[in-house]
Amino acid sequence: MSLRGVDWGEVPEETARVARAVFPKGCLAMRMRDTLGPVFADTEFTGLFPSRGRPAVSPARLALVSVLQFTEGLTDRQAAHAVRSRLDWKYALGLELTDTGFDFSVLSEFRSRLVDGAAGRMILDAVLLAAGEAGLVKARGRQRTDSTHVLAATRELNRLEFVVETLRAALNEIAAVAGEWLAALAPPEWFDRYSMRPEDSRFPSRWAARVEHGHQVISDGFAVLEAVWGPSAPAGLRHLPAVEFLRRVWVQQGEFHEGQPRWRDPKNIPPGRIRYCTPYDADARTGAKRDLAWNGYKVHLSETCEPDAPHLITNVTTTPAAVSDMEMTTVIHDELEERRLLPDEHLLDAGYVDAHHIVAARHEYGIEILGPVQTATGWQTKAGEGFAVTDFSIDWDARTVTCPNGRTTRQWREDRSQNGTPVIRSQFPAGTCSPCSQRDRCTRSTAKGRAITLRPRREHEALQQAKAQQETDAWKRQYQHRAGVEGTIAQAVHRFEARRSRYRGLAKTSLQHFFTAAAMNFARLDAWLTNTPFAPTRTSPFAALRPAG
């Protein structure tokens, strides 16, 4: 299949005449065509198609169909039917009234090409470029970012169900290519254990019995792996995807104790960042935030928030669920810089903000981060009577620290924290602190002097400045604008179904979110053009009775 460029610069006259007669006030699809133009061009997709073969359906049109599809939450069949039957879509796509469209399977094939070419971001970029040319989006200004969890497109499994289903999936894949070999290998009881899906099976209710069942499953799995790697196994079995996944899971979930295979103790399994959680999506991970835990991914949305312009999504990044927000701050800035969409001011919640982010954003990107930084957590601060780090004087040039009572230490050591960030550790000698009358307000150690942990100079000063600013009324008024991103997350979740992945795998889920962000921008541009106000914040009947003033 090869690419043959299609010129769709003008809407056919008859299509325009009938569409305007039916929609005299216009509609979203028609307004987007009138305001943004075609948005996509076939030349942008040249690298995704070979130079020879049967001509493909215009990828520019498929891209626009996909964005409209996500705007309305349609399936592939419904979207293909809309291309054939709806006047507003024909107008947006520049099609003749008699155009019969394409088979719905073309949309899936087009998404596969985008995934294989890592070209999903160009969908969002094309919409932003068209909006920029229309004067509706520009770089700098103010932006805000937040994230939400995304559930994998697979059933939630507990640990026992997971190992059973992983082994069952491997047995099914082996049976499809080497059934006779597997039938000769499998004991009769395997057919009782692994013929049915875990949710259709009845596992023991007692914990000890469930653990024993887990030991048996792990033992069976090791038997399969040993046989697959044995000399009598048919060639190629060890390279089957489900068998390779079984091997990886058994490394995480199984072990040998005194020569016997067994199910690992829950305290001895890998962390959620690298732990598999379903045999049908190898990229999904387990994430946790406060009292919420889920299997899947996390999506970060950034948007403009100027009062005199539409609030458009400028960046979307999808990660496995276990990746923290703190790790994504610099990544988001890099992606915005690459596309020349950096803000002057970036509103973030505490999960994204740390001292090195403030310094890097200011000096490398020209961005002022506005977000709460973590306050001191030492017992001295909590008690309200002790000496906190801010009470000590630091001479950065002389590399000394002076306590509130005038005693100075020259012990100064560069180190790294448990998170890998650079820190400076300074320790007062025990002989210096022991005779001090204020010792009880400074340290509880009876054998050592006070220890101080500092950030590098620029980060320390930025942190102290940020802590002071966030206590002011002016800072609080500025930061109030961040609250609007909660509405963006709600819109993405409730209208565009961003919290449930349609597809399996990180690459396909990322592509879904690029289409979702482009669709959200279509909806927001349409609301801006029609002067549709933001939805009001919910007010309970009782709160509405509050007296004015």
Side-chain angles (χ1 to χ4, degrees), residues 157-167 207 210-222 225 244-257 260-279 284-286 295:
L157 302 171
N158 61 41
R159 267 193 79 205
L160 184 56
E161 290 175 332
F162 172 49
V163 293
V164 170
E165 184 63 15
T166 299
L167 180 52
W207 174 249
R210 291 173 70 88
V211 171
E212 189 62 32
H213 189 79
H215 291 336
Q216 183 62 61
V217 174
I218 293 298
S219 178
D220 294 343
F222 277 126
L225 292 172
E244 172 60 19
F245 188 80
L246 174 68
R247 184 190 67 80
R248 295 183 182 184
V249 170
W250 254 235
V251 170
Q252 295 186 349
Q253 298 288 343
E255 64 179 355
F256 283 87
H257 180 68
Q260 296 298 315
R262 71 174 189 176
W263 199 26
R264 286 183 184 270
D265 185 273
K267 297 180 180 179
N268 194 28
I269 59 176
R273 189 181 189 90
I274 61 173
R275 187 174 68 245
Y276 298 108
C277 56
T278 172
R285 295 291 183 269
T286 299
N295 292 334

Side-chain angles (χ1 to χ4, degrees), residues 70-84:
F70 275 76
T71 302
E72 301 186 21
L74 305 180
T75 64
D76 287 352
R77 287 180 183 271
Q78 291 170 331
H81 182 71
V83 174
R84 288 191 297 271

